[in-house]
Amino acid sequence: ATVGQACFDPGMVKSTYGTGCFVLMNTGDKLVFSENKMLTTIAYQIDGKPVYALEGSIFVAGAVVQWLRDGLKMIRHASESKQLAESASDTEQVYFVPAFTGLGAPYWNADCRGAIFGLTRNTGPAEIARAALESVAFQTRDLIEAMREDWGGSRQAVLRIDGGMVANDWAMQAIADQLATSVDRPIITETTALGAAYLAGLAVGLCPEPTEFAQQWLLEKRFEPSQSGDHADALYAGWQRAVAQLLHEPGV
């Protein structure tokens, strides 16, 4: 997917939203060893030259919408989560930590389990759906902030997104708001297959060099931050408190 998104330059970031989520930041020919529990990996290798990356994984992304549909029977189709979230009350702030199988990066805790915080008598399906979608944005911010620190500061790289869940405009807008940066959805969102096909074609001389291939990447929609930084930070602070309670971490 990193290749399919044409993330060939150091600092470029892609995030694949399927059942889980996988974020990779290209670090070029530099091996960056994380101080924030990210993984150091090989992004790809062309002509024997490895290109490295920082990687972080979220265990539950699209799976949280599947749970709303199949577990709680709140929706019949995944696409309905968008309309449900849009109808949520602005006076309710619910946090949903979807640790169905533990928490991935940067927490790496396989033993904790999910929880919903901030429930009141006014909480309904809409608020729970919004919290479920927001959890993906908050977890993405967990990863991106860790990577930015490891990479060396505050570079506001555009995030390129792919995978089945990116069809949900509400969730993708929430990610842009939390990251305070642009989030780009390409015309071709099955970028894992695209990247594999491109590398195979490149190996036998059927596909162009990476620079030319990158020029063929086409934007379908760009999500720009729509919230103030203070508001996004306040929401994120609530997420951090919720996770801390779940992990029984003092002092947050």
Side-chain angles (χ1 to χ4, degrees), residues 1 14-24 55-67 98 100-105 135-137 139-140 143 161-166 172 175 192:
K14 76 88 194 171
S15 187
T16 300
Y17 295 95
T19 302
C21 167
F22 302 91
V23 179
L24 268 79
E55 179 179 9
S57 59
I58 296 169
F59 293 163
V60 175
V64 75
V65 179
Q66 294 172 350
W67 185 70
F100 300 145
T101 56
L103 286 172
S135 74
V136 178
Q139 290 178 97
T140 300
L143 299 184
I161 55 174
D162 53 77
M165 192 181 182
V166 301
M172 298 305 106
I175 291 171
T192 302

Side-chain angles (χ1 to χ4, degrees), residues 84-96 116-132 134 138 170 227 231 234-235 238 241:
L84 203 54
E86 288 173 340
S87 68
S89 171
D90 290 335
T91 62
E92 298 288 307
Q93 185 54 57
V94 178
Y95 289 95
F96 184 175
I116 300 177
F117 297 89
L119 295 173
T120 71
R121 290 190 65 179
N122 294 323
T123 302
E127 288 71 36
I128 292 174
R130 181 182 64 186
E134 284 181 327
F138 295 140
W170 196 95
Q227 296 178 349
H231 181 64
L235 291 177
R241 287 192 296 270

Side-chain angles (χ1 to χ4, degrees), residues 5-14 24-26 155 157 160:
Q5 287 279 32
C7 290
F8 296 126
D9 295 330
M12 294 186 74
V13 187
K14 76 88 194 171
L24 268 79
M25 172 184 281
N26 185 323
R155 174 170 175 162
R160 291 186 171 181

